[in-house]
């Protein structure tokens, strides 16, 4: 069995800190929840009694997320593409007036790795990755600022993709 990477250790530490906070009326919005770490954040927060807003580009295809929403009445699902400013604005409009205590910017993309290597850098691919992984998270945080200010905790967390793993970089 592999030992946890620093990334997973950090993720567990953040999760433990959040779970230690009393969940009375606490609301968390997590992006990129159709699978993986985002889905697990939804599961853990729902089981801890939080109100959870899980987002996915295509909620209809997010079957595991839908199953969690059926199991936990505090879980709702919203459509969101973090690389699309119109999608971000539409979500902010739908959530207007709702307080959010914690925003977890988890959604992102690894992109087409061969197009990201020295000697083969592709400008359009780079723009696509930056739109989702960097600008999207910042724009969503900006768009939900009124919601976060209305919340008690006022926390924003940013996650990284596999690009943040030195193990993946070393293998390439």
């Amino acid at each position: 069995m592999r030992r946890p990477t620093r990334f997973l250790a950090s993720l567990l530490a953040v999760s433990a800190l959040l779970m230690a906070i009393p969940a009375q009326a606490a609301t968390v919005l997590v992006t990129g929840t159709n699978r993986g770490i985002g889905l697990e954040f939804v599961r853990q927060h729902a089981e801890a009694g939080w109100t959870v807003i899980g987002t996915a580009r295509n909620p209809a295809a997010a079957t595991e997320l839908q199953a969690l929403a059926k199991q936990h009445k505090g879980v709702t699902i919203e459509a969101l593409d973090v690389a699309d400013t119109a999608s971000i604005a539409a979500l902010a409009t739908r959530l207007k007036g709702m307080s959010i205590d914690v925003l977890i910017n988890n959604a992102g993309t690894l992109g087409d790795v061969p197009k990201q290597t020295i000697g083969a850098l592709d400008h359009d691919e780079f723009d696509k990755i930056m739109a989702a992984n960097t600008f999207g998270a910042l724009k969503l945080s900006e768009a939900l600022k009124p919601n976060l200010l209305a919340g008690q905790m006022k926390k924003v967390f940013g996650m990284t993709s596999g690009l943040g793993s030195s193990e993946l970089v070393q293998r390439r």
Side-chain angles (χ1 to χ4, degrees):
M1 181 175 203
R2 260 178 45 185
R3 291 184 342 184
T5 64
R6 275 189 244 167
F7 171 74
L8 289 177
S10 298
L11 175 63
L12 292 172
V14 168
S15 184
L17 284 172
L18 287 174
M19 291 303 143
I21 299 169
Q24 297 95 352
T27 299
V28 60
L29 186 144
V30 186
T31 66
T33 60
N34 59 313
R35 61 185 172 87
I37 293 168
L39 182 65
E40 186 59 26
F41 272 129
V42 171
R43 182 184 333 277
Q44 289 186 21
H45 283 89
E47 289 175 359
W50 288 57
T51 298
V52 182
I53 304 164
T55 71
R57 280 180 294 177
N58 183 1
T63 55
E64 289 182 79
L65 181 59
Q66 290 176 17
L68 278 175
K70 287 179 184 172
Q71 289 176 340
H72 300 278
K73 65 178 177 144
V75 174
T76 58
I77 303 170
E78 290 286 344
L80 175 67
D81 180 347
V82 296
D84 180 355
T85 55
S87 179
I88 292 170
L91 177 66
T93 297
R94 290 192 305 273
L95 299 179
K96 187 174 181 160
M98 173 185 266
S99 66
I100 297 173
D101 295 285
V102 178
L103 168 60
I104 301 177
N105 284 305
N106 168 70
T109 181
L110 188 59
D112 186 346
V113 175
K115 291 183 177 182
Q116 300 172 54
T117 58
I118 300 299
L121 290 174
D122 182 282
H123 191 271
D124 291 336
E125 184 68 14
F126 182 78
D127 282 348
K128 184 173 67 173
I129 293 165
M130 292 300 289
N133 297 356
T134 304
F135 185 76
L138 291 170
K139 192 65 179 170
L140 181 63
S141 299
E142 176 186 67
L144 296 181
K145 182 178 176 182
N147 306 79
L148 290 158
L149 290 174
Q152 295 296 309
M153 294 179 218
K154 301 169 182 32
K155 305 281 185 220
V156 177
F157 292 93
M159 305 295 294
T160 182
S161 70
L163 290 172
S165 169
S166 60
E167 184 178 320
L168 283 176
V169 173
Q170 290 170 359
R171 284 190 280 171
R172 293 198 177 105

